[in-house]
Amino acid sequence: MTSSNDASGTATGPYQAAGSLQGRTVLISGGSRGIGLAIALRAARDGANIVLMAKTGQPHARLEGTVYTAAEQIEAAGGQALPLVGDVRNDADVAGAVGAAVDRFGGIDVVINNASAIDLSTTDDVDMKRYDLMQDINVRGTFLLSKMALPALRASDAGHILTLSPPLNLDPKWAGLHLAYTMAKYGMSLTTLGLAEELKADGVSVNSLWPCTLIDTAAIRNMPGGDMIVKGARSPEIMADAAHAVLTGGNAVPAHGSRSGNFYTDEQVLAAAGVTDFSPYSLGAPENQLVPDIFL
């Protein structure tokens, strides 16, 4: 795996990239920590331009890192960084981020919809403010950022939207466990499904990526019992390597043969790229004791 704290730009794990994001411009939402930052750092090691739009401009009491500290790590890893304090719920912030990316780097090649809110409450217990937050960030934010970036993506010779959302699994289990969150995440996935079809003739690929196991993030650690839960998780670097493989044209082509409209898992993508041992991504727990992620 690679390390989000390793600014040397040296790969240290099982994934060996077949392609590069050198010179590409990547606009990512919510990339100041966790999976988003790991993806940004992996692209930065190639020499990519990273535009970070995140709400955290000042240090947070419980969450490590800001958009500015993330930018420092990206530049130390070999990329160029444009840190922007912004909220995907705000139309002006999103339009401003897209405009700033084009002004600074001349275009946008990749949009990564990473920003997301989580609340696993049942319908009885979910607070409607949390419900609205999940709908606004997960669904509307993903739609809005994708929409605003479309002209720039169409102008790229390798336009790609990658959304961190699950396969559209209609097993009633997931809706029954946490309906509000399931609706919000599936809204992101429906955006992938619809845009992939809508943009067929435009040369813009649209895909989703989801982990097979729990991933160690600040959001999980801040949940009740989170410090114990993450012991059965993998590091964010598995998602970073998988995202890199998807964006550079990895071998994980599904049966229908299209590189757009897919709902990839991290293991699927990395296995197709030649990874046979996923244990370096774990935080110490044996592979058979890792916590499966939801929706799969």
Side-chain angles (χ1 to χ4, degrees):
M1 75 184 171
T2 59
S3 170
S4 61
N5 296 316
D6 178 5
S8 67
T10 302
T12 59
Y15 168 62
Q16 300 298 318
S20 174
L21 294 171
Q22 183 175 11
R24 296 294 182 182
T25 297
V26 180
L27 170 58
I28 182 168
S29 62
S32 59
R33 61 181 68 88
I35 294 173
L37 177 56
I39 292 174
L41 288 170
R42 182 62 188 84
R45 295 214 325 265
D46 285 356
N49 309 314
I50 311 296
V51 182
L52 290 175
M53 184 180 70
K55 291 191 300 179
T56 311
Q58 298 294 326
H60 191 282
R62 293 188 302 166
L63 299 173
E64 181 181 354
T66 69
V67 68
Y68 302 112
T69 60
E72 291 172 358
Q73 292 182 62
I74 287 165
E75 292 183 344
Q80 295 191 66
L82 176 59
L84 302 170
V85 177
D87 191 333
V88 292
R89 295 175 293 176
N90 185 297
D91 294 21
D93 286 357
V94 173
V98 170
V102 173
D103 289 344
R104 171 73 178 273
F105 298 117
I108 299 171
D109 300 295
V110 176
V111 167
I112 298 178
N113 291 302
N114 167 70
S116 184
I118 181 172
D119 188 320
L120 300 181
S121 299
T122 62
T123 300
D124 280 332
D125 294 335
V126 70
D127 183 279
M128 289 309 294
K129 288 184 178 180
R130 291 291 298 176
Y131 176 93
D132 291 341
L133 181 71
M134 289 190 288
Q135 287 291 326
D136 284 348
I137 294 177
N138 301 8
V139 188
R140 189 181 189 278
T142 293
F143 184 91
L144 178 63
L145 182 57
S146 301
K147 169 185 168 65
M148 293 287 192
L150 285 181
L153 291 170
R154 288 189 180 103
S156 169
D157 62 0
H160 205 136
I161 298 171
L162 183 63
T163 297
L164 303 190
S165 66
L168 286 165
N169 182 351
L170 296 183
D171 185 334
K173 172 183 178 181
W174 303 118
L177 282 174
H178 32 67
L179 178 58
Y181 181 61
T182 299
M183 291 169 67
K185 292 306 292 189
Y186 281 13
M188 297 173 74
S189 299
L190 281 170
T191 303
T192 291
L193 185 71
L195 281 180
E197 182 69 16
E198 186 176 344
L199 301 176
K200 267 184 179 180
D202 293 340
V204 178
S205 296
V206 188
N207 293 292
S208 281
L209 178 67
W210 195 246
C212 288
T213 69
L214 191 69
I215 301 296
D216 178 15
T217 64
I220 298 298
R221 288 184 178 270
N222 283 328
M223 294 173 64
D227 287 341
M228 289 297 295
I229 295 172
V230 295
K231 291 182 178 179
R234 285 175 174 156
S235 73
E237 281 67 40
I238 189 170
M239 288 290 283
D241 285 348
H244 186 274
V246 171
L247 295 172
T248 56
N251 296 320
V253 180
H256 61 72
S258 174
R259 293 197 180 276
S260 187
N262 302 300
F263 294 91
Y264 294 118
T265 65
D266 53 359
E267 289 185 7
Q268 172 198 5
V269 171
L270 293 176
V275 177
T276 58
D277 179 12
F278 296 100
S279 62
Y281 294 108
S282 74
L283 301 183
E287 288 287 288
N288 61 359
Q289 294 180 21
L290 293 176
V291 179
D293 210 294
I294 57 179
F295 298 125
L296 300 179

